[in-house]
Amino acid sequence: MDYSNLRRQAASMKKGLFDQGHLDEQFRQVEDLQDEASPNFVEEVAVLFFKDSGRLISNLEQALEKYPRDFNRWDAYMQQLKGSCSSIGASRMKSECMSFKDNCGKGNVEGCMGCLQKLKREHAILRQKLESYFQLLRQAGPTGAATRPVM
Amino acid sequence: MAPPEEDQFPVGMKVLVVDDDPTCLAVLNRMLVQCRYDATTCSRATVALSMLRENRGGFDVIISDVHMPDMDGFRLLELVGLELDLPVIMMSADSSTNAVMKGIKHGACDYLIKPVRMEELKNIWQHVVRKKFSGNKEHEHSGSLDDTDRTRPTNNDNEYASSANDGADDSWKSQKKKRDKEDDDSELESGDPSNSSKKPRVVWSVELHQQFVNAVNHLGIDKAVPKKILELMNVPGLTRENVASHLQKFRLYLKRIAQHHAGMANPYGVPASSAQMASLGGLDFQTLAASGQIPPQALAALQDELLGRPANSLVLPARDQSSLRLAAIKGNKPHGEREIAFGQPLYKCQNNSYGAFPQSSPAAGRMPSFSGWPNNKLGMTDPTSTLGNVNNSQNSNIVLHELQQQPDTMLSGTLHTLDVKPSGIVMPSQSLNTFAASEGLSHNQNPLIMPSQSSGFLTSIPPSMKADSVLPTSQSPNSLLGGIDLINQASTSQPFISSHGGNLPGLMNRNSNVIPSQGMSNFQTGNNLYLVNQNSMGLGSKPQGVLKTESTDSLSQSYGYGSNPMDSGLLSSQSKNAQFGFLHSPNDVTGGWSSLQNMDNYRNTVGPSHPVSSSSSFQSSNAALGKLPDQGRGKNLGFVGKGTCIPNRFAVDEIESPTNSLSHSIGSSGDIPDMYGFSGQM
């Protein structure tokens, strides 16, 4: 198998994610934390992130419905999500979180709704891309996963 | 567990991370591990808190998120800071200046913005060292405090007595200093002042705290700067740094209380004997204070809040943070348990310096006998007679004072003190608990003397204090006491009165409310803590500060004997203190009341006045009165330098008074922040 090719593909995919703004520097910091002691750390964190953020997004959706115009509450919910996004480096999602909070501050319900939809989209996109990326890494072999691909 | 690699510090430094976000927790954990720290993660603040409490020495630094579902990060910060004095680093995705400011104001060592970078984590060990280092310094200086407090027998009383007069301050001070110095020399606990590796922190005993509060009151909460406070307190061995850090905590506490109250309903379940109590609901401490009733519930609630327990409906008027604190301190809690929080320690400590709490107004609602109490809560009408009552108030004041001091623990402490029941007073011993029980701070002797109000309140309060039953909010900074008063009141049915109705700068609210014979009994309980806050009834007047229990002792004695003329004097002195801690420096107190002259003894109790020892304060009063037996509270007073332990400085749990039950309910030393480090540490 052409591991080096797979690794190159993975590297290129990752680069794309960065270039498109899906990921930011924080993701690199997370990658740096991966080592022999924690060889799959990045993927583990990503799994954790998507699971938790999925839950937070759905809570937020419910809150938007159940507590109309309760901007403080919405803002509080979003605060959590924003923290999560920033911890893994989910850059676009984080931007949407900030827009949402801005809209809360302005009391703009439509704005909030709009941001939430975008957020969900970004969430889905990122999840899909990262899943592909990790899969590629796994295929590329342990070496590929353990080392930081050249970006 | 492997011994800490101190020589390789910061390697192996124990970090506890608290965040409900699993992603962040995972990332931070890895980062900390890569920094070679010993990291522990926790996703729930409540779990983290119990982990910390159970394993006091188990962690060196805490990193906590601000927004958490089960507990606000700032709250955790405060609790940890107060109880354990560990460095806490706040963390949040919110980078706004306000948020960061809030964190710093709450006492955070640092504030990290998410995503946290590795470089930032690499530096967190500095906070640990910084804290330890300054703690050592404090300890060094205050090592002697402990002894002095403890061993300050009634002798001081005499000395103080003589200098009780306004003009005597200097002499008194010098006397005290001398004594203190002697004590210091003999006692330095840690033994080695130069040892800087691990010095116990200053233990803010009830008395010490009372003195602190008095000083702050005197200066005015806004103007209180560590240097001046230190000067006023005149406690040998105490450093400006000690005071500064304590002040910071105190301020946070006050704020928290205020916020807490704001958020709390005002359940003053206990029907205040006076209508004023009802007004409590209005978060208007002043009013409350005026009415001399700080609903025990409020205090209780406050206490609960502080202790992390579900607050019962304590509703403390949010009107003024400081007042709130007082109230809280007073332990207005109607619930027995809660009260203990603040009052208890005081009570128990009878000897304790709780006297610091101007118990002046035990349960505001308490003075049943004075139906018209609110007004005359302080019994202003009859200053002399109020002595008896004063005690109560004092206690309450003290309690309040104490309460103020320590957010969580304070409450517990103060509650106890209120129990001082003059012989005549029928206060059930558990009255402490009762703050709540007391029907409500009917007494309100001074519900909360808000010290902030005027530093000069003590002095300014004319002896005639009219029945200012409620702490003259504006005037008396004592409002803080209000809370404490409640405590007393709660327990005693009698009017706490404290005699002063509030003028007492020192708590001695002669207000006539003082329950004539009864009041006395309150004091006696030995808790001298109640220092005569006769004002407790709403001392408003100035119960400033909690008069430390010391006075109660003396008072009790005086009461015991019946009408001690000193009582009034005592009361006055006490009332001064009643201010919940806001008592102005003891010196002031004495000056304020002419009646105090008699009370020389009490002067001492006034607490702050003698740096010596908080414990002695009680005792000193005894001297005058006949020397109240040293309830042994002294011990609690402050163990400075005791090494110890007591992580929660504000926990008062050592109160031995009957109210023990209360304190226990609070949670046994473990739970109750041991403000004064009494929890068993003695």
Side-chain angles (χ1 to χ4, degrees):
Chain A
M1 220 21 286
D2 187 355
Y3 291 107
S4 64
N5 189 32
L6 285 172
R7 261 177 272 137
R8 255 200 312 279
Q9 279 180 40
S12 151
M13 189 182 261
K14 187 159 90 158
K15 184 171 186 300
L17 284 170
F18 274 91
D19 290 344
Q20 287 159 32
H22 290 285
L23 294 177
D24 61 23
E25 179 57 34
Q26 178 65 14
F27 190 79
R28 289 199 182 95
Q29 293 249 333
V30 175
E31 282 185 313
D32 281 346
L33 295 174
Q34 184 163 288
D35 56 16
E36 307 75 33
S38 278
N40 299 312
F41 181 69
V42 185
E43 191 172 354
E44 285 163 8
V45 173
V47 166
L48 213 50
F49 169 72
F50 284 111
K51 183 164 150 214
D52 192 53
S53 56
R55 177 184 64 87
L56 289 174
I57 288 175
S58 106
N59 283 352
L60 186 54
E61 274 185 311
Q62 284 172 25
L64 282 176
E65 226 178 297
K66 192 167 165 198
Y67 304 101
R69 299 194 67 84
D70 189 346
F71 297 107
N72 287 337
R73 187 187 291 264
W74 298 357
D75 186 277
Y77 274 80
M78 185 51 81
Q79 181 67 33
Q80 281 186 284
L81 187 55
K82 181 183 168 194
S84 254
C85 294
S86 60
S87 293
I88 198 178
S91 176
R92 280 206 195 172
M93 278 182 71
K94 187 163 118 180
S95 300
E96 290 304 330
C97 289
M98 297 201 289
S99 298
F100 182 95
K101 281 165 117 316
D102 275 346
N103 278 297
C104 278
K106 294 182 203 145
N108 183 351
V109 178
E110 288 77 26
C112 288
M113 298 292 188
C115 284
L116 182 61
Q117 295 313 309
K118 279 196 229 157
L119 184 62
K120 283 168 72 177
R121 259 201 316 274
E122 293 300 337
H123 181 251
I125 292 171
L126 185 63
R127 172 194 250 142
Q128 186 221 348
K129 288 190 184 247
L130 278 180
E131 273 174 3
S132 309
Y133 171 69
F134 287 123
Q135 198 171 21
L136 210 51
L137 280 184
R138 262 180 267 125
Q139 285 172 0
T143 343
T147 56
R148 185 164 157 173
V150 175
M151 289 280 299
Chain B
M1 152 159 166
E5 301 154 307
E6 282 173 355
D7 53 335
Q8 292 178 45
F9 185 85
V11 173
M13 185 174 80
K14 299 179 286 263
V15 184
L16 174 66
V17 188
V18 189
D19 192 343
D20 62 313
D21 176 358
T23 309
C24 177
L25 215 52
V27 173
L28 268 183
N29 188 40
R30 265 307 308 134
M31 283 185 174
L32 290 168
V33 166
Q34 284 214 344
C35 290
R36 302 180 71 198
Y37 295 143
D38 179 357
T40 306
T41 58
C42 191
S43 60
R44 293 184 62 77
T46 43
V47 172
L49 202 57
S50 56
M51 272 169 69
L52 287 164
R53 282 170 173 161
E54 280 161 27
N55 187 7
R56 289 263 157 86
F59 297 102
D60 297 313
V61 61
I62 291 131
I63 300 178
S64 170
D65 187 34
V66 168
H67 302 274
M68 289 186 287
D70 62 334
M71 186 191 288
D72 183 30
F74 292 118
R75 170 107 187 260
L76 177 67
L77 161 63
E78 282 176 8
L79 290 174
V80 171
L82 286 165
E83 283 185 41
L84 310 159
D85 199 34
L86 284 175
V88 180
I89 295 170
M90 299 306 291
M91 186 172 55
S92 172
D94 184 359
S95 56
S96 67
T97 307
N98 286 344
V100 178
M101 184 88 72
K102 189 175 174 193
I104 302 302
K105 281 183 174 166
H106 275 73
C109 290
D110 204 349
Y111 192 103
L112 304 178
I113 310 294
K114 290 184 184 178
V116 178
R117 293 188 312 279
M118 185 78 121
E119 303 84 66
E120 294 172 298
L121 289 180
K122 283 195 173 136
N123 290 330
I124 63 176
W125 63 270
Q126 295 172 11
H127 301 295
V128 175
V129 174
R130 197 174 297 127
K131 199 142 196 154
K132 206 184 276 191
F133 187 69
S134 64
N136 284 347
K137 272 203 322 189
E138 284 186 4
H139 174 68
E140 215 176 81
H141 293 287
S142 50
S144 55
L145 281 176
D146 185 47
D147 291 330
T148 357
D149 291 347
R150 255 204 283 150
T151 57
R152 193 118 329 232
T154 51
N155 292 337
N156 296 345
D157 296 338
N158 295 329
E159 291 185 3
Y160 291 129
S162 53
S163 52
N165 306 336
D166 311 4
D169 290 350
D170 290 345
S171 59
W172 172 74
K173 268 187 190 163
S174 56
Q175 282 172 1
K176 218 162 35 142
K177 254 195 196 142
K178 248 192 307 184
R179 257 206 307 272
D180 291 349
K181 211 172 328 172
E182 287 165 357
D183 288 344
D184 293 349
D185 293 339
S186 52
E187 307 227 10
L188 273 187
E189 262 215 60
S190 45
D192 180 14
S194 59
N195 165 34
S196 55
S197 59
K198 250 188 161 111
K199 288 203 180 124
R201 300 194 320 261
V202 172
V203 172
W204 283 87
S205 66
V206 174
E207 279 202 352
L208 198 58
H209 181 70
Q210 178 60 53
Q211 289 178 266
F212 169 82
V213 173
N214 291 345
V216 171
N217 281 349
H218 182 59
L219 296 166
I221 189 76
D222 295 327
K223 298 215 199 59
V225 288
K227 183 159 186 290
K228 293 205 179 122
I229 296 172
L230 185 66
E231 283 166 13
L232 282 176
M233 283 176 72
N234 190 31
V235 174
L238 194 63
T239 64
R240 198 200 75 81
E241 291 78 19
N242 298 148
V243 174
S245 71
H246 194 70
L247 179 64
Q248 181 186 42
K249 289 186 174 159
F250 187 55
R251 284 210 172 109
L252 289 179
Y253 173 64
L254 287 177
K255 204 195 313 195
R256 257 174 29 76
I257 303 292
Q259 287 167 2
H260 180 84
H261 285 304
M264 285 172 65
N266 201 343
Y268 292 117
V270 185
S273 54
S274 60
Q276 278 115 4
M277 287 288 283
S279 61
L280 283 179
L283 297 191
D284 182 354
F285 248 164
Q286 301 259 334
T287 306
L288 233 166
S291 58
Q293 309 176 347
I294 293 233
Q297 292 141 348
L299 283 180
L302 200 51
Q303 183 187 17
D304 284 349
E305 152 102 359
L306 291 173
L307 298 178
R309 290 203 301 231
N312 285 327
S313 57
L314 244 196
V315 175
L316 284 179
R319 100 169 133 150
D320 186 318
Q321 287 186 1
S322 43
S323 50
L324 283 179
R325 293 264 205 112
L326 281 176
I329 303 192
K330 291 260 203 106
N332 287 323
K333 306 188 331 174
H335 307 279
E337 341 184 322
R338 285 225 263 212
E339 296 186 330
I340 304 194
F342 284 100
Q344 303 250 324
L346 287 178
Y347 190 72
K348 286 209 309 195
C349 314
Q350 307 188 339
N351 351 306
N352 277 347
S353 45
Y354 278 112
F357 294 117
Q359 300 256 338
S360 53
S361 51
R366 274 335 244 64
M367 315 259 272
S369 46
F370 301 96
S371 48
W373 195 77
N375 318 332
N376 73 336
K377 298 213 211 173
L378 296 186
M380 318 251 295
T381 57
D382 182 359
T384 48
S385 57
T386 54
L387 278 186
N389 296 322
V390 170
N391 289 334
N392 291 336
S393 53
Q394 303 229 342
N395 291 334
S396 49
N397 288 337
I398 298 182
V399 172
L400 274 182
H401 179 68
E402 296 276 76
L403 286 174
Q404 283 197 327
Q405 304 265 342
Q406 307 182 349
D408 291 331
T409 47
M410 303 233 342
L411 280 178
S412 48
T414 45
L415 288 178
H416 281 288
T417 48
L418 291 184
D419 206 322
V420 177
K421 297 187 281 220
S423 48
I425 302 186
V426 209
M427 294 211 317
S429 61
Q430 53 174 20
S431 49
L432 281 187
N433 302 327
T434 53
F435 273 112
S438 47
E439 296 65 273
L441 314 174
S442 48
H443 269 319
N444 276 335
Q445 307 201 347
N446 352 193
L448 287 180
I449 304 199
M450 293 298 300
S452 53
Q453 298 194 3
S454 46
S455 50
F457 47 74
L458 283 183
T459 47
S460 57
I461 301 190
S464 52
M465 279 271 323
K466 0 338 179 81
D468 194 341
S469 53
V470 181
L471 297 177
T473 51
S474 52
Q475 356 170 315
S476 46
N478 298 329
S479 44
L480 287 182
L481 286 179
I484 303 192
D485 284 335
L486 292 181
I487 307 186
N488 282 332
Q489 308 200 342
S491 49
T492 45
S493 49
Q494 11 188 323
F496 284 105
I497 349 183
S498 343
S499 47
H500 305 290
N503 310 316
L504 295 181
L507 292 195
M508 291 273 294
N509 286 317
R510 299 299 216 85
N511 303 313
S512 58
N513 279 324
V514 179
I515 304 181
S517 46
Q518 310 181 302
M520 309 270 271
S521 53
N522 285 331
F523 288 109
Q524 308 178 352
T525 345
N527 295 335
N528 300 322
L529 291 180
Y530 298 140
L531 285 196
V532 234
N533 268 320
Q534 305 261 338
N535 295 320
S536 46
M537 307 264 280
L539 280 185
S541 49
K542 301 231 200 168
Q544 312 192 348
V546 187
L547 267 203
K548 309 273 246 118
T549 45
E550 297 185 334
S551 41
T552 39
D553 278 336
S554 40
L555 282 177
S556 50
Q557 300 215 346
S558 42
Y559 291 126
Y561 305 148
S563 37
N564 238 347
M566 307 256 333
D567 291 347
S568 50
L570 284 179
L571 291 180
S572 50
S573 56
Q574 304 213 335
S575 45
K576 283 220 247 181
N577 292 331
Q579 292 215 336
F580 298 117
F582 282 132
L583 290 179
H584 43 256
S585 53
N587 297 328
D588 296 339
V589 174
T590 41
W593 304 308
S594 48
S595 56
L596 285 181
Q597 327 259 334
N598 301 332
M599 307 283 302
D600 289 343
N601 297 326
Y602 289 108
R603 262 192 348 109
N604 297 331
T605 51
V606 174
S609 43
H610 8 267
V612 190
S613 49
S614 26
S615 47
S616 49
S617 49
F618 296 112
Q619 298 157 10
S620 42
S621 48
N622 292 334
L625 295 182
K627 301 285 196 91
L628 292 178
D630 180 353
Q631 286 89 19
R633 275 202 297 210
K635 325 192 269 189
N636 291 334
L637 301 177
F639 334 163
V640 169
K642 274 281 209 109
T644 331
C645 48
I646 312 193
N648 28 33
R649 304 208 291 180
F650 297 109
V652 227
D653 36 289
E654 258 316 23
I655 312 197
E656 262 107 44
S657 61
T659 52
N660 278 336
S661 52
L662 288 176
S663 53
H664 288 313
S665 54
I666 300 202
S668 61
S669 52
D671 302 344
I672 303 185
D674 191 355
M675 278 186 9
Y676 295 97
F678 292 130
S679 43
Q681 296 281 354
M682 314 270 312

